[in-house]
Amino acid sequence: MQTPPPFEYERANSVGEAVALLERLGPEARLVAGGHSLLPMMKLRLFRPEHLIDINGVQELFYLKVENNELRIGAMTRHADLLSSALVGEHFKILQDAERVIADPIVRNRGTVGGSLCQADPSEDLSAAFTAAKANIVVQGSAGQRVVAARDLHVGPYETVVGPAEILVEIRVPIRPGCGSAYEKVERRVGDWAVAAAGACVWMTGDTITDVGIGLTAVGAPHFCAPEAEAMLVGTVPTPASLRAAADVAAQHTNPGSDQRGPADYKRHLAGELTFRALTKAIARSKGEL
């Protein structure tokens, strides 16, 4: 098995220590938590950091709680904890739908929510789920904290707005009444990266959609979202025809590439179909039907 290139190892036990190490060691230092994405890239020599800072000792980032009408998720929360949390299931089933189809139990037991978002893989599931839920991301550096919309976190494949001496510390998902959510994914085999996937959060007042979020992954949707499709549905009473029309618009604004997972036209078709399914299930859940 190929081994990663040489690197220096540091360990941080607090957010402050991690930020200080990032500042001292410079842009060639990287944080490592679960390491399921970073270490394989290092073994393939696609990434050669000079320093790795282990943050598994940063206990202040391990939590799931509701505060100020928000579901707050510490960045070091493991995928398995998100999947098993009754609190998460009560408010955002989309997150558990997504976690259920991420990798395998070994990865879910060690991989972290913050690490997945910072990896910024174009096929990553939680990026689409948090985009649909209109979450906010808290980033911390030596100057303090700043809040970034999940839709503004990613600036390109494997690139985020998190600076070289900053750390993603928390995800905040606003809790609003009348919400239903769902995530749908097609993969070649269980636990694989998505061929295409779609998530939806729908907020209803009576029979009317008052707000909607659509997240897409693996299909080249800018910032993992579909704002044109969302705008079509706000203020409407949903019907199968209107949901299908919005799903078609979501698909039209994707830009998938052809690869070993399938041709572009197939992925675009999946984007529309999965968006329709996610919207339909989210609405049913908002009404307590599922």
Side-chain angles (χ1 to χ4, degrees):
M1 181 181 292
Q2 195 169 14
T3 58
F7 59 87
E8 297 295 323
Y9 174 85
E10 303 280 353
R11 184 174 177 87
N13 291 308
S14 70
V15 171
E17 284 183 22
V19 170
L21 283 168
L22 287 170
E23 288 187 328
R24 177 168 65 83
L25 298 174
E28 295 307 312
R30 289 294 183 272
L31 303 174
V32 61
H36 290 289
S37 297
L38 176 63
L39 295 179
M41 292 179 73
M42 291 174 63
K43 289 180 180 180
L44 293 170
R45 300 303 199 270
L46 297 174
F47 192 55
R48 295 170 176 261
E50 294 176 3
H51 306 270
L52 288 186
I53 303 168
D54 185 343
I55 57 172
N56 281 286
V58 183
Q59 293 298 314
E60 65 197 273
L61 296 184
F62 288 85
Y63 59 85
L64 282 164
K65 62 184 179 181
V66 170
E67 187 175 300
N68 295 331
N69 290 320
E70 295 174 320
L71 174 65
R72 298 197 172 188
I73 304 167
M76 285 296 294
T77 299
R78 308 291 183 184
H79 293 296
D81 295 329
L82 204 63
L83 177 58
S84 63
S85 168
L87 190 64
V88 173
E90 177 186 354
H91 294 290
F92 294 102
K93 288 184 169 60
I94 185 175
L95 299 178
Q96 294 187 327
D97 287 351
E99 286 290 5
R100 205 167 283 114
V101 293
I102 290 176
D104 54 39
I106 294 174
V107 171
R108 292 196 293 268
N109 283 336
R110 291 296 300 167
T112 64
V113 174
S116 290
L117 293 177
C118 287
Q119 177 67 12
D121 191 289
S123 298
E124 201 272 316
D125 293 288
L126 287 184
S127 296
F130 283 121
T131 291
K134 300 192 174 183
N136 292 305
I137 309 299
V138 183
V139 177
Q140 184 168 329
S142 59
Q145 292 186 346
R146 60 191 179 99
V147 180
V148 179
R151 297 177 176 220
D152 298 327
L153 178 66
H154 302 101
V155 295
Y158 306 103
E159 292 183 278
T160 74
V161 298
V162 180
E166 291 184 315
I167 176 173
L168 189 158
V169 294
E170 185 178 68
I171 303 95
R172 298 176 179 174
V173 194
I175 297 172
R176 294 182 278 161
C179 180
S181 62
Y183 191 78
E184 297 284 337
K185 176 178 178 178
V186 167
E187 55 203 334
R188 292 185 302 172
R189 57 184 181 271
V190 174
D192 196 4
W193 293 110
V195 176
C201 284
V202 180
W203 292 267
M204 305 280 293
T205 299
D207 292 328
T208 301
I209 295 176
T210 54
D211 199 6
V212 60
I214 298 172
L216 293 161
T217 195
V219 290
H223 300 285
F224 292 91
C225 61
E228 300 84 2
E230 295 166 353
M232 291 177 63
L233 294 173
V234 174
T236 69
V237 176
T239 65
S242 67
L243 298 182
R244 180 67 69 182
D248 289 344
V249 167
Q252 290 165 15
H253 285 84
T254 63
N255 186 31
S258 298
D259 56 21
Q260 72 274 18
R261 291 187 173 87
D265 57 350
Y266 169 64
K267 293 180 181 180
R268 188 172 291 109
H269 168 76
L270 279 180
E273 180 60 32
L274 295 175
T275 299
F276 175 75
R277 294 182 190 178
L279 285 167
T280 301
K281 184 179 289 187
I283 290 169
R285 283 175 169 173
S286 75
K287 298 177 179 179
E289 297 172 358
L290 288 176

